[in-house]
Amino acid sequence: MKNLKLTFLILALNLFFSCTHEQNQNDSQMIEGDFSTYPVYEGKDLEMTYTKEATTFRIWAPTAKAAVLRLYDEGIGGKPIAEHKMKKDKKGTWLLKLDGDLKGKFYTFQVEVGDRWMDQNPGVYAKAVGVNGLRACVVNLAETNPQGWEADKRPPLANFNDIILYELQVRDLTISPTSGAKNKGKFLGLAETGTTNSAGYATGIDHIAELGITHVHLLPVFDYLRVDETKLDTPQYNWGYDPLNYNALEGSFATDPYNPAVRIKEFKELVMAFHNKGIRVVMDVVYNHTSQSFKSYFNQLVPDYYYRHDAEGEFSNSSGCGNETASEREMMRRYMIESLIYYATEYHIDGFRFDLMGIHDIQTMNMIRAEMDKIDPTIFLYGEGWAAGACPLPDSLRALKANTMQLNGIAAFSDDIRDAIKGHWSDEKERGYVSGKPGLEESVKFGIIASTPHKDIRFSMVNYSDTAWAKEPSQTINYVSCHDNHTLWDKLSVTNPEDSEADRIKMHKLANAIVLTSQGVPFLHAGVEILRTKQGVHNSFESPDSINQINWDWKTKYIDVFNYYKALIALRKAHPAFRMTSTEMLNTHLHFSHDESAGIVAYSINGNANGDKWKDILVVFNANRTATHVTLPPESTWTIVLNGEKYLETGIETITNGNLMAAPLSATILVDTQSVK
Ligand code: CA
């Protein structure tokens, strides 16, 4: 009984304190440095709300003693045309309402914390910014819509397993003179249709559509720091993993970086151009760190709040870029969610790829999934299930690859299959399955079943994972190359310099034949289908265009390779057996053969899997440099529909004696002959 009384007393006290907290909007219970005590502002009107009659500014700065808003005519330079004190308002916010039509005016905030005036900054929610992202701008978003925008729709998508990703950097696709585009390197350049190279082959967006891609994945297009937008006549390059203004777009992709509405409108043109081709658009988002630490806009408004720190109180650095954000903190979590909702609604973005997702906490990622589901459950979410350094938040709480089963409807990249196919990402001379390293068959199989629990996998033999990590096949992104590290073609040049170009092309085609026939979601690095090279530069994040650009003459030179990639995609799209939708379906229909020769990976998909018109399918990969014998199951005669050269739905060749001599360095797909008749 005593204990019960005590419980009531504590409950009553808690109630009393929470009531006083609610009533006390000046947040007197906040303990500076104890971030859990900082008030949470739940309103959606941070930081600028425009109407013709008045503009309202509200910043969240709970530790500030004073706050000032300055108005400017220009996005850079010049003196303020007005300076206004903001008033302390509810939940740690500061408020100012200015009458009149402020459209086109630029503004900054500045707060006093402790005995220090922090830097002027455009806030952290700015949706429109001037050149170099220094000042925010009052815009009327409704006026940034291009013609036809109201009718713009996401292209249909039945299933995440139907996705074929293509990762590109906006500038790379059109900056080369060979692209034939007018607006080279810009959002508008990539939106141009009808462009060709000198031989008349389609380039840019038409090329991507011709290949059969369903989703383009754009490297950072939000506003980043390290391209000087005032000097666009000087050659500059950066991938953009140095975020400055998360909710504003990068100015160097716009035809006019000084006019904040231009980049908004032109990016919408780009999204609409892809949608008109039936292609969805994914943004690479980098909420895990900011380009600057102490000087970042986050930190200039609420020092330390948005970041994790190490035991010494310094910025912790699991991003490898000098700091890491704290998604588990309420206002950072809300920030990410609101930013993503903004892109999904204002820009009709169809998916998000989270850079170093392993830095974010699992709870936040699941909340993001739930919020995206409210907008459209076909919005695709995936990320890198790792970090780039030690993190103060325990592994068990983070969206690491090993924790993917705790993530709802969110996928992770498979470094298992990536490095199994081509060799280790950083040990550059190490070979992989296609280039001659033995013993990787089980790791390749693990990729084929999209890292799900499967009866035939001997997990102890898999390179990086000792157990399945994906609950469902759509939680795995299978790939062999991306913007990081060597291109696939360069990697093969490093690992296999003594091999002929013809053999390296075979290895290259085999590598992505594995990816494009595997279960899960396949991912291609732009240009891989025309043997993209970066001249041996493995980290080209700030290399010049001459290294990063796609040279469209490669398409003429390697048109056979292009046609093979196109055929693999056509095969995948025509046959749902390669896009099974559940782990259960995979265990029922997909079976591995374990008694093949070294260098052979073989499996069957039986029983018209996932509604496929093909009843029985055999897939055989031969990584040997010699033709290798494979005994075919005796129940049927078999027809080859794909070999190392081509894909023919009606069959290339029929085998009646049950013996396949798999060609060197090639993929072969056979179908029971009845199914192709
Ligand atoms: Ca920028």
Side-chain angles (χ1 to χ4, degrees):
M1 281 302 280
K2 264 186 192 167
N3 284 344
L4 198 62
K5 270 185 192 163
L6 190 64
T7 309
F8 276 124
L9 182 66
I10 291 169
L11 272 174
L13 278 172
N14 275 342
L15 200 62
F16 171 76
F17 280 122
S18 64
C19 286
T20 41
H21 185 74
E22 280 303 311
Q23 285 154 12
N24 185 349
Q25 302 211 310
N26 285 326
D27 317 309
S28 60
Q29 294 185 359
M30 187 180 76
I31 302 162
E32 210 166 317
D34 180 354
F35 303 122
S36 66
T37 67
Y38 285 28
V40 170
Y41 182 71
E42 297 183 0
K44 303 291 181 213
D45 60 341
L46 295 169
E47 290 162 347
M48 185 277 290
T49 308
Y50 167 81
T51 67
K52 235 176 154 42
E53 293 71 39
T55 300
T56 308
F57 300 92
R58 183 194 290 279
I59 51 168
W60 185 72
T63 54
K65 292 194 317 199
V68 171
L69 173 115
R70 290 184 182 82
L71 288 177
Y72 295 85
D73 278 329
E74 302 294 336
I76 191 168
K79 293 219 165 11
I81 52 171
E83 193 169 317
H84 299 274
K85 281 188 176 158
M86 302 182 78
K87 270 184 72 177
K88 194 154 178 62
D89 200 70
K90 60 188 171 187
K91 299 291 181 186
T93 64
W94 296 77
L95 185 66
L96 175 71
K97 185 178 173 188
L98 294 178
D99 291 331
D101 190 349
L102 292 186
K103 193 175 75 180
K105 297 295 179 211
F106 292 84
Y107 62 90
T108 62
F109 301 106
Q110 190 174 23
V111 298
E112 186 185 19
V113 179
D115 54 1
R116 175 190 182 116
W117 278 94
M118 307 303 282
D119 295 345
Q120 279 191 63
N121 63 78
V124 294
Y125 288 80
K127 292 169 176 166
V129 295
V131 72
N132 280 343
L134 300 168
R135 294 174 189 158
C137 184
V138 180
V139 290
N140 182 0
L141 284 170
E143 292 172 5
T144 62
N145 294 343
Q147 206 181 354
W149 184 247
E150 285 72 20
D152 179 67
K153 278 203 182 73
R154 305 178 196 285
L157 177 70
N159 237 302
F160 291 148
N161 302 278
D162 301 341
I163 293 171
I164 298 160
L165 292 162
Y166 188 80
E167 183 206 41
L168 68 91
Q169 198 270 1
V170 169
R171 185 177 173 91
D172 293 350
L173 266 277
T174 61
I175 196 69
S176 160
T178 60
S179 72
K182 283 198 260 323
N183 294 290
K184 291 188 177 58
K186 305 291 183 188
F187 290 139
L188 288 185
L190 189 52
E192 282 176 40
T193 59
T195 58
T196 61
N197 71 4
S198 59
Y201 289 116
T203 63
I205 191 171
D206 286 359
H207 167 88
I208 297 168
E210 182 188 5
L211 185 56
I213 294 301
T214 69
H215 286 57
V216 286
H217 153 158
L218 307 176
L219 255 63
V221 293
F222 54 77
D223 183 29
Y224 50 82
L225 180 71
R226 288 190 187 85
V227 167
D228 185 346
E229 300 171 10
T230 67
K231 296 194 171 75
L232 294 181
D233 289 339
T234 312
Q236 299 178 70
Y237 189 93
N238 207 288
W239 280 341
Y241 292 93
D242 55 339
L244 186 61
N245 289 289
Y246 285 106
N247 293 341
L249 298 165
E250 167 57 17
S252 62
F253 295 135
T255 55
D256 180 1
Y258 289 86
N259 180 342
V262 169
R263 61 184 85 173
I264 300 175
K265 180 162 184 271
E266 291 179 349
F267 185 57
K268 287 177 177 174
E269 296 267 15
L270 176 59
V271 172
M272 197 162 60
F274 276 114
H275 284 176
N276 288 342
K277 293 272 180 194
I279 297 169
R280 289 188 169 214
V281 180
V282 173
M283 270 178 70
D284 189 339
V285 287
V286 189
Y287 298 108
N288 65 69
H289 77 279
T290 51
S291 52
Q292 298 156 298
S293 300
F294 183 80
K295 286 288 194 182
S296 78
Y297 298 155
F298 276 143
N299 211 55
Q300 293 302 310
L301 280 180
V302 194
D304 294 338
Y305 177 85
Y306 293 99
Y307 299 94
R308 295 184 191 136
H309 296 83
D310 61 20
E312 282 74 46
E314 302 295 324
F315 287 97
S316 56
N317 186 22
S318 70
S319 69
C321 298
N323 62 70
E324 65 183 273
T325 56
S327 57
E328 70 281 13
R329 252 164 243 160
E330 189 60 23
M331 287 302 283
M332 182 64 208
R333 174 176 284 161
R334 283 175 173 274
Y335 182 82
M336 288 172 64
I337 291 173
E338 282 174 37
S339 178
L340 293 160
I341 290 173
Y342 172 65
Y343 279 112
T345 53
E346 182 66 29
Y347 289 100
H348 307 176
I349 295 297
D350 308 294
F352 299 95
R353 174 267 192 197
F354 293 82
D355 186 62
L356 300 180
M357 183 170 72
I359 293 178
H360 302 316
D361 68 298
I362 292 170
Q363 191 186 340
T364 298
M365 292 308 301
N366 282 333
M367 288 171 76
I368 289 168
R369 177 72 269 171
E371 289 297 326
M372 292 300 115
D373 283 349
K374 290 180 196 166
I375 299 167
D376 188 330
T378 67
I379 291 173
F380 189 46
L381 304 176
Y382 58 105
E384 294 179 308
W386 49 76
C391 178
L393 197 69
D395 287 5
S396 62
L397 300 180
R398 292 191 283 130
L400 294 164
K401 184 182 76 171
N403 297 333
T404 303
M405 289 200 189
Q406 296 176 56
L407 295 170
N408 306 322
I410 300 172
F413 284 95
S414 172
D415 53 345
D416 309 88
I417 193 170
R418 180 195 69 198
D419 289 5
I421 291 175
K422 70 167 183 189
H424 195 269
W425 64 276
S426 70
D427 182 357
E428 62 172 28
K429 286 208 182 310
E430 193 198 65
R431 296 179 176 190
Y433 170 73
V434 301
S435 42
K437 187 177 177 189
L440 289 163
E441 291 85 350
E442 209 66 21
S443 304
V444 171
K445 292 177 189 175
F446 182 63
I448 290 166
I449 50 91
S451 338
T452 56
H454 191 279
K455 60 186 176 56
D456 293 344
I457 298 294
R458 294 168 289 191
F459 290 99
S460 64
M461 294 165 69
V462 174
N463 52 358
Y464 298 158
S465 299
D466 51 16
T467 181
W469 50 261
K471 202 161 38 182
E472 299 294 347
S474 59
Q475 284 193 296
T476 290
I477 308 289
N478 279 322
Y479 72 127
V480 65
S481 62
C482 67
H483 68 280
D484 277 322
N485 309 310
H486 282 301
T487 68
L488 179 57
W489 188 234
D490 288 350
K491 171 76 175 172
L492 290 169
S493 306
V494 173
T495 54
N496 294 60
E498 75 290 358
D499 278 300
S500 66
E501 178 173 287
D503 275 352
R504 276 185 276 124
I505 287 176
K506 285 180 187 168
M507 294 171 190
H508 196 279
K509 287 156 71 180
L510 174 58
N512 274 313
I514 297 170
V515 168
L516 287 165
T517 52
S518 287
Q519 306 294 323
V521 177
F523 169 109
L524 299 175
H525 178 220
V528 71
E529 70 285 2
I530 48 175
L531 304 187
R532 181 177 187 175
T533 175
K534 290 199 241 170
Q535 325 293 342
V537 177
H538 69 89
N539 184 8
S540 66
F541 77 101
E542 57 178 4
S543 298
D545 292 330
S546 58
I547 299 298
N548 279 299
Q549 71 192 359
I550 291 189
N551 177 341
W552 291 99
D553 289 340
W554 298 333
K555 188 171 180 182
T556 310
K557 189 169 177 194
Y558 299 115
I559 190 66
D560 290 345
V561 178
F562 171 77
N563 284 331
Y564 191 71
Y565 273 77
K566 188 177 151 186
L568 289 168
I569 289 172
L571 184 149
R572 185 179 185 88
K573 283 178 150 179
H575 291 283
F578 299 101
R579 296 178 275 121
M580 281 190 258
T581 54
S582 73
T583 298
E584 193 192 351
M585 204 187 276
L586 269 170
N587 276 280
T588 306
H589 296 283
L590 195 151
H591 313 280
F592 286 100
S593 165
H594 282 304
D595 47 10
E596 303 299 348
S597 318
I600 294 281
V601 169
Y603 63 98
S604 63
I605 305 178
N606 305 124
N608 300 96
N610 199 20
D612 208 294
K613 68 174 182 175
W614 287 344
K615 182 166 153 282
D616 297 320
I617 303 168
L618 289 175
V619 181
V620 178
F621 301 124
N622 182 12
N624 297 308
R625 285 135 194 283
T626 48
T628 306
H629 178 258
V630 177
T631 306
L632 303 177
E635 304 88 54
S636 177
T637 65
W638 295 94
T639 296
I640 296 175
V641 291
L642 176 100
N643 59 22
E645 304 297 321
K646 62 180 173 183
Y647 156 54
L648 203 56
E649 182 74 18
T650 50
I652 298 165
E653 176 188 346
T654 295
I655 297 178
T656 51
N657 64 3
N659 294 304
L660 170 73
M661 284 306 287
L665 301 171
S666 77
T668 310
I669 296 182
L670 308 96
V671 177
D672 69 285
T673 301
Q674 287 301 317
S675 289
V676 291
K677 271 189 174 161

